[in-house]
Amino acid sequence: MTSKINSVLRCLVQLAAICGLLLLCNWLVGIVNFPVPGSILGLAILVILLATKVIPESAIKTGANWLIGELLLFFVPPVISVLKYQVLLRQDGLTIVATVIIGTVIALVGTAWVVDKVFKLEKQLNQRLDRLIKGAAHV
Amino acid sequence: MSDTALAIMSLLATIGFYYLSKWAYLYKKVFWLAPILAAPFAVIIFVLAMDIPLDSYFKYTHFLVMMLGPATIAFALPIYQQRKIISRYPITLTLGMITGLTLGLLSSWILVQLFPMPDELANSMLTRSVSTPFAMQATVKFGGIPDLTAMLVLMTGVIGMVICEPVFKMIGVKTSLAKGAALGAASHGSGTAKAYEIGQEEGVIASLTMIFTGVAMVLGAPLFATFL
């Protein structure tokens, strides 16, 4: 029971810290007129802080995983606003569905095809590199 | 009933239906029970049945939407955790991101030229291939409406989830990286969830491609908007 309360508390503290970072970044972006949104600046700062081990992974892990895990919950409300656009949807519903389906197929096929080709190349490159490093180690 | 009571009920219903569908999907993996579909659907029915004015609905639920900002920052964790994959396949990930972003934007742009539709809708289409927090942020630059964009993002996710396997089979893609990158780049969050169902490696690649494509969309939006 105590461990459960502890982990909820830890999650809340970490959430507060991440929200604090966002507020700080939004404020910074505002005063220096930086062309990047505060959330993206915050993302970059947090990656740097983690990579340089200024803060340990465990300091934000619970909170960050919760935010990513419940991402869908946060965008249920905007979807409800489709009720505002009922006329639009009734008129253009079919066009919308067709556009989304065709567009998604194009993006899926194109990306899969390109990455398939590039990946095979990069894999060979990595293997050659690995062999080179091993070879160098023997010498 | 008072406005505040309706607003509190709306918040509780949104959270309640979300966790209910999440729990139901755990037991029965059918796509119409997936929280991405079942939760908004149940809430819409609830709002219509209770005849809740949209202003009351958004009074407290907009606090949920505000969490999309911190959620964007939280993506720093998977980037850090997967740093080995990133340093092993930088070319693949970069090209996957560029291709996915370009094709997502261009295909939508060409299609809205072909099919006549109102401007606000056409503009909201452009960022629909990236994850919601990024799409809602970037769409304003193209003259899109954030909530309309959120709905189109959701449709893209659901469609990508349903069509990915037949599409991959048809074009004969087998490598895990290609499947993951395509899912992450073309159908963001639900694509990533689907990729994790296919395999761990597919899932990791999908989530990284999704994050990078989203960040690139937000950073590039002011520039792309001047061209389109």
Side-chain angles (χ1 to χ4, degrees):
Chain A
M1 193 62 202
T2 4
S3 71
K4 184 112 190 180
I5 296 171
N6 267 339
S7 74
V8 171
L9 270 178
R10 185 181 320 128
C11 187
L12 283 175
V13 171
Q14 297 185 356
L15 275 180
I18 295 173
C19 292
L21 177 61
L22 177 66
L23 288 177
L24 182 76
C25 290
N26 279 340
W27 173 76
L28 265 174
V29 164
I31 50 166
V32 295
N33 223 341
F34 200 50
V36 170
S39 54
I40 303 278
L41 177 67
L43 167 71
I45 291 178
L46 190 52
V47 169
I48 294 169
L49 289 178
L50 287 168
T52 53
K53 312 258 181 232
V54 173
I55 63 166
E57 190 182 328
S58 59
I60 52 120
K61 195 172 174 181
T62 317
N65 276 334
W66 184 82
L67 280 167
I68 296 171
E70 312 301 337
L71 196 60
L72 266 173
L73 171 63
F74 312 141
F75 84 93
V76 172
V79 176
I80 304 311
S81 56
V82 297
L83 291 172
K84 264 195 280 189
Y85 304 105
Q86 282 179 58
V87 184
L88 192 80
L89 289 176
R90 218 164 290 151
Q91 274 168 0
D92 299 289
L94 212 66
T95 322
I96 297 175
V97 175
T99 310
V100 174
I101 292 182
I102 301 171
T104 307
V105 171
I106 295 176
L108 262 179
V109 171
T111 313
W113 190 81
V114 169
V115 173
D116 205 36
K117 299 281 167 283
V118 181
F119 172 59
K120 278 174 194 153
L121 265 173
E122 191 163 36
K123 204 171 181 179
Q124 284 170 2
L125 212 79
N126 276 337
Q127 278 164 354
R128 206 166 301 164
L129 222 73
D130 287 347
R131 264 202 302 272
L132 232 99
I133 294 168
K134 254 192 209 143
H138 280 296
V139 178
Chain B
M1 218 181 297
S2 79
D3 180 53
T4 310
L6 285 177
I8 294 173
M9 267 171 57
S10 301
L11 180 64
L12 292 177
T14 305
I15 298 174
F17 283 126
Y18 167 77
Y19 280 106
L20 198 69
S21 67
K22 204 172 167 174
W23 175 80
Y25 189 63
L26 220 66
Y27 285 93
K28 213 166 160 54
K29 283 233 178 316
V30 282
F31 85 95
W32 52 268
L33 267 183
I36 189 176
L37 269 182
F41 185 74
V43 177
I44 287 179
I45 302 286
F46 172 80
V47 169
L48 288 176
M50 301 289 295
D51 204 17
I52 299 173
L54 283 181
D55 284 337
S56 322
Y57 176 80
F58 288 115
K59 192 172 177 183
Y60 294 128
T61 53
H62 84 270
F63 289 117
L64 292 177
V65 190
M66 282 170 63
M67 296 309 278
L68 285 171
T72 307
I73 296 188
F75 283 128
L77 182 68
I79 293 180
Y80 172 72
Q81 288 173 329
Q82 304 303 337
R83 58 195 181 283
K84 282 213 178 81
I85 298 264
I86 298 176
S87 62
R88 186 131 180 105
Y89 298 111
I91 310 173
T92 309
L93 284 169
T94 312
L95 274 173
M97 172 191 90
I98 295 174
T99 324
L101 183 68
T102 316
L103 286 178
L105 253 178
L106 269 185
S107 66
S108 297
W109 186 78
I110 293 169
L111 287 165
V112 301
Q113 310 299 312
L114 293 176
F115 301 128
M117 58 178 91
D119 275 353
E120 47 183 5
L121 182 61
N123 295 338
S124 305
M125 276 287 178
L126 297 172
T127 57
R128 59 164 187 82
S129 63
V130 299
S131 181
T132 317
F134 305 110
M136 286 178 77
Q137 179 91 251
T139 197
V140 229
K141 299 279 185 243
F142 297 99
I145 303 165
D147 10 310
L148 210 50
T149 304
M151 186 202 73
L152 296 167
V153 170
L154 178 137
M155 280 181 66
T156 304
V158 174
I159 288 169
M161 208 166 88
V162 176
I163 63 169
C164 68
E165 275 175 313
V167 166
F168 289 152
K169 213 166 253 165
M170 223 158 64
I171 58 170
V173 169
K174 287 206 179 65
T175 59
S176 58
L177 248 92
K179 285 183 184 171
L183 276 167
S187 89
H188 52 82
S190 30
T192 302
K194 181 78 207 177
Y196 271 114
E197 281 176 25
I198 301 178
Q200 182 68 23
E201 199 179 15
E202 284 87 347
V204 170
I205 299 294
S207 70
L208 287 175
T209 315
M210 169 188 91
I211 299 165
F212 292 150
T213 314
V215 171
M217 178 70 94
V218 175
L219 294 180
L223 181 72
F224 305 143
T226 58
F227 288 113
L228 296 182

